[in-house]
Amino acid sequence: MKFDSSEFEKLKYPIHKIPMDQPVLFEFSDLSKFSIIFSANDLPKQLDPDLVLRYLIFMYDLGSPGQGIPDLKRRKTWAMQCLNIEPPYPKHITDMLSWKIKGVNRRAIYFLLLMGGEQYMVWKSAEEALLRYTELEIKLEAEDEAAQAKIVQAEKTRREIINMTMSQITASKNEFLQGEKSKDLDDELTEFTLLDSLGIRPEEYIREFQDKGDVFPDIDA
Amino acid sequence: MRDSKYPYQIADSSVFLNTDDEDLFKIEIPVPTPDQYYNLPYEEAIKKIDGYGFSPDKQKFQYQEMPSKLKDIEAVIRKKKQIKPKEVVRLEDIDEELFSNAAYYSKEIIWIKKQIRRHYKGYFFFNNGKPTYIPGCMYTYLNFWPIGNPKNKDGLPEYRDRDRRWFAGVMYSYTTRDGVFKYKVVYTDGSESFVRYFNNKKSVDEFKEINPQCYVEEGNFIVDTGERTMYGVIYPKHRREGATSRAGFLNWYVTATLGIQRFGGIQSMSDYHSTQVFVDHIAKRLRRMPFFFKLMTEGSSVPKEAIQFTAPANRTAGGVGTTSLPPHEGWINHRPSGERAYDMEKLHFIHHDEVGKVDPKNGINVNIIDRWRVVMKCLAQGPYIHGLGLLTSTLGEMEKGGGDQMKRLILASKFESRNDNGQTASGLFTIFFPAYDGLDGFIDEFGNSIIEDPKRPVKNSDGRLVSIGAKTYLQNKRKSFEASDDQTGLIEEMQNFPFTLKECFMSASKDSSFPVLKIRRRISELTFQPHLTRRYNFEWESGRGSRVILKESDEGKFIISHLPPHGLRNLKEWDPETESWRPSWNVMNRYVLGADPAKYETHEVSGKKKSYHAGAMFYKRDMAIDGDNGTEIKLRSQWNSDKFVLTYKQRDVGREEYADDMAKACVFYGAMLYPEMNITHLYEHFLEWKLGGYLLYDMNEQGEKKPLPGRITTDGSNNSAKQDIFDTWEQYLKDGCEYENHIEILEETANIDGRAEMTKYDLFTAGGYALLGSKSLYPKFVEMNEQASKIDSDLFGTFDYF
């Protein structure tokens, strides 16, 4: 590594202390909880899962010196240097950097979730609120003009809230993604949040039940 | 809020299992009440229950109706995406459709979430005026697990109250942390008091030695041990009652839906049968589950070997699922029937199918107890149990080998018999329903069993009127067998439709002159009275020929039901005429030890089936204790004598050790040895050890003892020793098999199939020799001689002779 190790002291996952021939996944308990993601067999053969994880840490760990490089392209080059990889990059690295590999994208979403849990919660709440307001049916029956005016007002308020919520979604999503703008990454995230919002995929509610011993507590059984 | 004008019944707070069976402990399993389930006051809670507000006769279990929009969703997606009829609609397409049109599907999404919630939490419905709880697993089973029930348009199972209790029982075994203990011990370390619980008296005594200040309380303590205490359930099932379907369903429920990265297995009596259970009762069913219960799996066709809950390799190749979420990564598979097929694996569920059907003649030769021991380790990590075992077998089809093993497993699965860890010996408990509970045709329209005769005819679940209960119906069938004196038919009927656990283990025998039904009944009774016999070893106090002392041991070679009073043990005297020891004349006419030595020594049996060295001691009717006393008649059932008191059956002992064991038993009891003399080593050893006076001879017509003791086994149609043995057994069994205490000897009499099988039934043969020997007049002859001598001696002492 061409950098002074003191620059990396603030890393949440201090991987600079771990030799390159030693996998980092099981060095950190909160990462290893997601081992099913970070060690999944869904990468091109040339791409080592450990290298991907190190790359994500250098890029998106909130304590990484890379956070001081706002330009994401430059930050990626820097992260590659941290991994002793210099341009021109082979195809699998280029694909990784440009979010062309689904397995990398999925890892990135989970890693970002570890880094930006709060932004994610804001965003998710906003998504849920949006769903609620979209589903809301104004059922009051208008018996007189005053009541009719109330219904119109209620509908207006509902639309305003929907618009506000959508802005909130955009802002919190951007913050969560640390400025990354890629359609592939966005799709991965949409898929992730989509399912998270409905929560009716078995892979998801089973995890929920396993962790909390309950699912959909707000639903009347 | 709805209100009801009907006075509904109060919901039960528990269900009961194993009621009304003298050999089973009644188990109470708590279930949620409406107020607990809804977290509302009871009166408010019941208003939320399906069926509230209707009259009781209209309140039944109702299947969930899939909303029409969800029924049509695949067709909608096919149209939108122009998917060809042969192509699969992927789960991710359904997710996309739902989410993209969340407002349109909002009610349907809530309906799906409700199903999932009930899948875990369970469900309440009003059933004939009573709020009734069913566990989550049963809810999904009834609504979404098609079993091919012809009465239901979707093939879904019928609601039965018996199944509700069954599901509650199995899931209780999966969750309970309760231990049952006999002893509560309060002790202190000097500053603080602590409590420990035990079941083993010996452990309590040891603990008391270390903590002499402790206080011991005896009772029946049910204690939360903090960890799971049960590995699962053993269930003798009725034919075609749906237990295999339920077991298949629970395999999926526990393995696939109670957590990720979990593994389920199946073993049956053969590879063919386990494949059948896997394919017919899991793989095919899963394909028809609604999409919100379908995990990602590899491949879309019906698997024959295993279901892997992993992401499909190719998203467009017909794989079931999507790669967008981390997959479950578990599996359900089946393995061959061998004991170690799952050794070293981690399992969360195992179904051992047909555990009572081991049949060595057809190559099905599995030790189901060893196999369960292996699998127990797969279901736990050290003391922490994470899995569930379900062992099932069809009643009436338990073959000899497997039936015996299943019986042993059931005996080791008594709910109330726990070790000091609060667990049963097998880690399982038995669930048994009498045949009249849940019998086809005797289920009312509410799913309840019609057991007793109803006061007025009631409609059953098929819509027919039923005027008698299941119990009367089955009793009528039994009576017809009894009327025609068809023992075999009656036993088969009782085993197929047992009223009690005991009756499960009555197996039908071939035509026999033995009273097989009586024998089987006694065997069934003795199965649950193991305390009537104990295992012991005998030891010479100071070398062969000295006094014999008794040592109780779980591994003892002798099974003993009666010991002579202390003053009547080791009574022997020197006979100068024969220069050997013999029993004292006042005890020698009591006990006869029949002996059937093995034909070969252990080292001689290469390539031959090993036989056993056997011995059986018969206690002749003892008039001193079992005679009538004046006008007072002592009933046969009160006798201590006229029955077997000791058995011995050992394979891996040498001839000398066997002879030594027989000698010790004879000396201790004062018994006479009546050996099979085709092999003479017992006779030779007794003579060599100066114990010839313990050998029992027959007398000839002239009142002289025969030259050799015992008998030589001969075969032939008439007057052969083998025929004599069968005749004497027949007489003994007809007179008093209901008073016999040795199950091991009765089992051989029940199973033996004619004279040709005598070589395989060593205890039967030894017992036969004991019965034959008990008829010998020789001891009486000796006794009379001794009494005559005594009189002579007295007379000599009275008169002066010149």
Side-chain angles (χ1 to χ4, degrees):
Chain A
M1 194 181 295
K2 297 171 183 174
F3 303 92
D4 187 70
S5 72
S6 63
E7 293 179 58
F8 296 91
E9 288 304 321
K10 289 183 181 168
L11 275 173
K12 181 179 179 190
Y13 304 110
I15 50 171
H16 61 292
K17 293 176 183 170
I18 302 169
M20 288 297 284
D21 59 353
Q22 192 178 320
V24 298
L25 179 59
F26 291 100
E27 296 293 325
F28 308 105
S29 61
D30 52 347
L31 281 181
S32 61
K33 274 198 293 192
F34 292 94
S35 61
I36 196 167
I37 302 292
F38 293 122
S39 62
N41 187 22
D42 56 357
L43 295 173
K45 278 180 188 167
Q46 307 91 323
L47 201 51
D48 177 22
D50 188 57
L51 181 127
V52 175
L53 184 53
R54 284 174 186 266
Y55 161 69
L56 293 173
I57 292 169
F58 284 129
M59 277 296 291
Y60 303 112
D61 188 312
L62 295 176
S64 166
Q67 292 286 326
I69 309 171
D71 182 289
L72 288 173
K73 274 190 181 172
R74 278 187 54 215
R75 200 199 294 180
K76 283 176 185 175
T77 311
W78 170 85
M80 283 293 106
Q81 284 175 335
C82 293
L83 294 164
N84 299 324
I85 300 172
E86 297 288 349
Y89 303 127
K91 185 172 182 305
H92 63 275
I93 296 291
T94 319
D95 286 349
M96 175 176 79
L97 301 184
S98 55
W99 307 116
K100 296 291 181 210
I101 300 169
K102 189 166 176 59
V104 173
N105 301 359
R106 187 193 295 172
R107 285 166 167 78
I109 297 298
Y110 274 85
F111 189 78
L112 288 166
L113 185 65
L114 282 169
M115 287 294 110
E118 285 175 16
Q119 288 98 317
Y120 178 77
M121 290 309 290
V122 172
W123 177 24
K124 193 184 160 201
S125 306
E127 291 266 17
E128 280 175 4
L130 180 65
L131 190 65
R132 263 200 316 279
Y133 291 123
T134 327
E135 288 172 5
L136 189 70
E137 290 174 40
I138 309 290
K139 284 182 177 173
L140 288 171
E141 284 182 20
E143 289 174 354
D144 52 33
E145 279 186 12
Q148 180 68 34
K150 276 186 186 171
I151 293 170
V152 172
Q153 184 57 40
E155 180 59 20
K156 193 180 164 198
T157 310
R158 186 175 81 104
R159 288 184 186 284
E160 281 171 7
I161 291 173
I162 288 174
N163 289 339
M164 270 170 53
T165 311
M166 287 176 82
S167 308
Q168 202 176 7
I169 288 171
T170 311
S172 52
K173 181 177 168 186
N174 189 47
E175 205 171 335
F176 174 72
L177 285 177
Q178 295 194 18
E180 287 285 1
K181 287 188 173 61
S182 148
K183 188 178 178 309
D184 289 320
L185 188 62
D186 208 47
D187 285 350
E188 183 66 38
L189 185 58
T190 305
E191 219 166 53
F192 177 86
T193 53
L194 175 160
L195 298 164
D196 194 37
S197 299
L198 289 183
I200 58 171
R201 289 291 311 281
E203 283 81 1
E204 195 173 9
Y205 65 72
I206 290 168
R207 281 187 169 80
E208 181 86 356
F209 177 76
Q210 191 172 27
D211 291 346
K212 298 179 183 167
D214 198 5
V215 287
F216 310 128
D218 52 334
I219 296 287
D220 206 352
Chain B
M1 195 70 74
R2 294 173 290 175
D3 271 310
S4 171
K5 58 186 175 184
Y6 302 104
Y8 296 136
Q9 298 171 58
I10 297 294
D12 294 331
S13 57
S14 48
V15 297
F16 291 93
L17 289 174
N18 300 340
T19 51
D20 303 326
D21 193 306
E22 62 180 18
D23 298 309
L24 290 168
F25 186 84
K26 185 177 173 183
I27 306 170
E28 181 175 7
I29 296 166
V31 292
T33 50
D35 47 328
Q36 292 164 340
Y37 182 87
Y38 291 104
N39 200 22
L40 288 170
Y42 186 88
E43 290 306 321
E44 291 303 307
I46 60 168
K47 292 176 183 172
K48 290 174 138 320
I49 296 174
D50 280 353
Y52 181 82
F54 293 96
S55 70
D57 62 317
K58 298 278 187 298
Q59 293 173 326
K60 295 174 193 173
F61 175 79
Q62 305 285 346
Y63 293 97
Q64 291 295 303
E65 187 68 29
M66 175 90 83
S68 56
K69 283 184 193 173
L70 292 180
K71 278 186 193 163
D72 298 338
I73 198 166
E74 280 201 25
V76 170
I77 294 166
R78 281 182 187 281
K79 198 173 173 186
K80 278 186 184 174
K81 298 207 162 192
Q82 297 193 325
I83 297 170
K84 293 173 187 166
K86 283 186 180 174
E87 288 176 12
V88 177
V89 173
R90 299 172 310 168
L91 293 176
E92 59 188 356
D93 293 332
I94 297 175
D95 291 329
E96 189 186 326
E97 169 67 16
L98 285 173
F99 190 75
S100 310
N101 304 285
Y104 176 72
Y105 287 111
S106 61
K107 287 187 181 123
E108 285 70 23
I109 291 169
I110 289 170
W111 181 85
I112 291 171
K113 288 184 176 179
K114 191 173 272 197
Q115 305 313 308
I116 296 168
R117 185 150 171 73
R118 290 173 176 173
H119 172 83
Y120 291 113
K121 193 179 176 185
Y123 170 69
F124 259 104
F125 69 103
F126 264 101
N127 194 23
N128 196 18
K130 191 178 210 178
T132 303
Y133 173 81
I134 59 174
C137 50
M138 186 176 185
Y139 178 80
T140 302
Y141 175 71
L142 290 173
N143 283 302
F144 302 110
W145 192 260
I147 62 166
N149 173 17
K151 294 184 206 167
N152 180 281
K153 65 180 168 50
D154 298 314
L156 293 169
E158 189 176 82
Y159 170 79
R160 290 184 178 184
D161 183 66
R162 182 197 60 194
D163 295 349
R164 182 177 77 97
R165 285 174 271 137
W166 185 87
F167 273 110
V170 176
M171 291 314 289
Y172 169 79
S173 78
Y174 182 65
T175 53
T176 183
R177 304 186 307 181
D178 288 350
V180 181
F181 296 94
K182 288 182 192 154
Y183 303 99
K184 178 181 178 181
V185 180
V186 183
Y187 65 104
T188 176
D189 65 351
S191 57
E192 204 177 335
S193 290
F194 303 95
V195 177
R196 268 188 69 173
Y197 294 91
F198 296 90
N199 276 306
N200 192 335
K201 180 77 171 64
K202 201 173 163 191
S203 306
V204 177
D205 293 341
E206 284 168 5
F207 190 82
K208 275 165 75 177
E209 277 180 28
I210 303 165
N211 301 277
Q213 302 300 318
C214 69
Y215 165 74
V216 181
E217 193 180 334
E218 238 178 287
N220 190 23
F221 304 98
I222 297 177
V223 179
D224 184 345
T225 63
E227 294 295 337
R228 274 185 59 193
T229 48
M230 287 289 177
Y231 283 78
V233 156
I234 182 163
Y235 179 56
K237 67 189 174 83
H238 302 272
R239 201 184 300 269
R240 300 186 59 77
E241 63 139 283
T244 311
S245 288
R246 297 201 299 275
F249 168 80
L250 274 181
N251 200 337
W252 167 80
Y253 181 82
V254 172
T255 305
T257 77
L258 296 188
I260 59 159
Q261 287 181 304
R262 293 160 71 90
F263 314 101
I266 300 164
Q267 288 182 283
S268 188
M269 56 187 191
S270 73
D271 206 14
Y272 168 76
H273 290 92
S274 62
T275 307
Q276 206 175 27
V277 173
F278 173 78
V279 173
D280 292 350
H281 294 280
I282 299 181
K284 284 184 181 172
R285 311 271 190 253
L286 270 181
R287 284 178 59 76
R288 295 185 56 196
M289 290 288 273
F291 65 89
F292 50 87
F293 283 126
K294 274 184 179 162
L295 284 157
M296 284 184 271
T297 56
E298 273 185 358
S300 60
S301 57
V302 176
K304 302 283 187 296
E305 300 298 326
I307 300 166
Q308 305 275 356
F309 300 119
T310 51
N314 184 339
R315 296 176 70 184
T316 57
V320 181
T322 165
T323 53
S324 59
L325 266 179
H328 182 284
E329 300 282 12
W331 45 252
I332 299 174
N333 68 12
H334 65 92
R335 294 264 168 90
S337 59
E339 288 89 347
R340 312 201 78 80
Y342 280 106
D343 197 11
M344 309 298 283
E345 300 259 18
K346 182 176 186 178
L347 288 174
H348 295 84
F349 191 94
I350 184 75
H351 176 202
H352 278 174
D353 177 52
E354 296 298 2
V355 287
K357 269 197 189 176
V358 174
D359 183 2
K361 284 180 191 163
N362 289 318
I364 304 166
N365 199 4
V366 184
N367 187 321
I368 59 165
I369 296 171
D370 282 354
R371 186 171 73 185
W372 171 242
R373 283 195 190 119
V374 169
V375 166
M376 276 176 89
K377 290 177 192 154
C378 307
L379 297 171
Q381 186 82 36
Y384 309 117
I385 306 167
H386 55 251
L388 176 68
L390 185 51
L391 282 65
T392 59
S393 197
T394 310
L395 291 163
E397 294 189 5
M398 292 180 224
E399 302 297 330
K400 279 181 190 172
D404 287 346
Q405 292 182 52
M406 180 149 173
K407 201 191 302 181
R408 282 175 56 200
L409 260 183
I410 282 181
L411 285 173
S413 308
K414 287 183 161 183
F415 186 83
E416 73 284 16
S417 300
R418 310 285 184 107
N419 59 24
D420 288 337
N421 296 326
Q423 297 176 337
T424 63
S426 67
L428 303 164
F429 70 86
T430 304
I431 295 181
F432 172 75
F433 295 110
Y436 47 72
D437 188 358
L439 186 70
D440 272 334
F442 293 89
I443 316 287
D444 70 15
E445 55 187 316
F446 304 101
N448 297 317
S449 303
I450 308 169
I451 294 174
E452 305 295 343
D453 295 346
K455 285 180 183 157
R456 57 170 64 189
V458 292
K459 211 190 271 183
N460 71 9
S461 59
D462 302 319
R464 295 177 182 155
L465 282 178
V466 175
S467 55
I468 58 167
K471 209 184 253 184
T472 300
Y473 172 78
L474 291 173
Q475 274 165 343
N476 289 344
K477 284 172 77 183
R478 290 182 176 196
K479 281 177 191 164
S480 66
F481 286 111
E482 280 168 353
S484 58
D485 200 24
D486 181 355
Q487 276 197 109
T488 309
L490 179 58
I491 290 169
E492 274 178 5
E493 171 67 17
M494 289 167 84
Q495 202 195 29
N496 281 321
F497 299 98
F499 287 9
T500 62
L501 184 62
K502 265 182 203 143
E503 290 180 355
C504 300
F505 298 104
M506 298 182 77
S507 70
S509 185
K510 305 82 0 209
D511 290 337
S512 168
S513 55
F514 292 174
V516 182
L517 185 57
K518 270 171 75 177
I519 300 171
R520 288 289 172 200
R521 278 201 175 123
R522 184 60 182 156
I523 289 172
S524 298
E525 286 167 7
L526 290 173
T527 300
F528 298 93
Q529 297 177 44
H531 60 277
L532 290 179
T533 57
R534 289 189 179 186
R535 284 190 171 270
Y536 294 91
N537 281 320
F538 289 119
E539 287 177 13
W540 298 111
E541 194 172 56
S542 51
R544 186 176 290 132
S546 63
R547 284 173 56 81
V548 173
I549 52 175
L550 190 67
K551 291 270 170 82
E552 188 172 347
S553 160
D554 290 343
E555 306 295 318
K557 289 187 274 188
F558 294 89
I559 299 174
I560 291 175
S561 57
H562 160 85
L563 292 166
H566 283 279
L568 295 177
R569 298 176 187 179
N570 286 297
L571 293 184
K572 65 179 193 292
E573 58 197 24
W574 182 254
D575 180 4
E577 203 174 303
T578 58
E579 293 195 332
S580 70
W581 291 100
R582 68 178 187 195
S584 291
W585 67 269
N586 51 342
V587 294
M588 76 171 349
N589 197 22
R590 295 185 182 195
Y591 303 98
V592 178
L593 180 59
D596 178 31
K599 304 294 172 288
Y600 307 97
E601 282 278 45
T602 305
H603 63 269
E604 296 172 358
V605 295
S606 168
K608 298 187 180 81
K609 191 170 182 272
K610 283 182 181 179
S611 62
Y612 289 86
H613 291 297
M617 190 183 290
F618 185 71
Y619 184 9
K620 295 159 74 168
R621 185 176 177 194
D622 189 341
M623 296 305 284
I625 58 167
D626 291 330
D628 298 337
N629 184 9
T631 53
E632 195 183 326
I633 296 169
K634 193 166 186 185
L635 298 173
R636 176 75 176 84
S637 58
Q638 297 167 326
W639 294 0
N640 290 312
S641 59
D642 203 20
K643 58 182 76 170
F644 285 88
V645 292
L646 168 151
T647 66
Y648 175 101
K649 188 173 174 181
Q650 296 293 318
R651 180 150 58 186
D652 294 320
V653 297
R655 282 177 178 167
E656 183 171 344
E657 185 181 344
Y658 168 58
D660 191 55
D661 283 336
M662 294 298 99
K664 285 183 283 197
C666 284
V667 170
F668 183 84
Y669 277 84
M672 300 293 284
L673 182 79
Y674 194 76
E676 192 219 45
M677 285 293 286
N678 300 54
I679 308 287
T680 56
H681 68 87
L682 269 178
Y683 169 66
E684 289 159 12
H685 275 117
F686 267 57
L687 292 183
E688 181 193 341
W689 297 336
K690 302 287 183 198
L691 294 170
Y694 282 88
L695 293 166
L696 178 59
Y697 295 77
D698 283 328
M699 308 288 282
N700 65 19
E701 290 80 6
Q702 287 75 41
E704 298 160 342
K705 75 172 189 181
K706 288 186 174 177
L708 288 173
R711 288 244 197 144
I712 293 172
T713 302
T714 53
D715 204 355
S717 54
N718 291 310
N719 301 323
S720 67
K722 283 190 177 181
Q723 188 56 49
D724 287 349
I725 287 173
F726 269 82
D727 290 345
T728 193
W729 263 121
E730 182 183 339
Q731 191 185 342
Y732 172 69
L733 293 168
K734 281 182 174 165
D735 288 349
C737 85
E738 58 268 54
Y739 311 114
E740 180 51 55
N741 290 330
H742 286 261
I743 188 171
E744 65 281 2
I745 206 163
L746 285 180
E747 278 175 339
E748 293 205 0
T749 63
N751 292 334
I752 193 164
D753 197 10
R755 294 195 304 239
E757 287 200 339
M758 265 182 64
T759 50
K760 288 193 282 179
Y761 292 91
D762 308 277
L763 268 186
F764 173 87
T765 307
Y769 271 90
L771 291 171
L772 286 179
S774 70
K775 292 178 183 166
S776 167
L777 297 173
Y778 176 64
K780 193 71 189 164
F781 172 77
V782 175
E783 191 181 38
M784 283 164 60
N785 275 349
E786 286 299 325
Q787 281 174 329
S789 308
K790 193 164 182 295
I791 291 165
D792 287 348
S793 154
D794 289 346
L795 287 173
F796 278 119
T798 307
F799 297 98
D800 287 332
Y801 287 83
F802 298 102

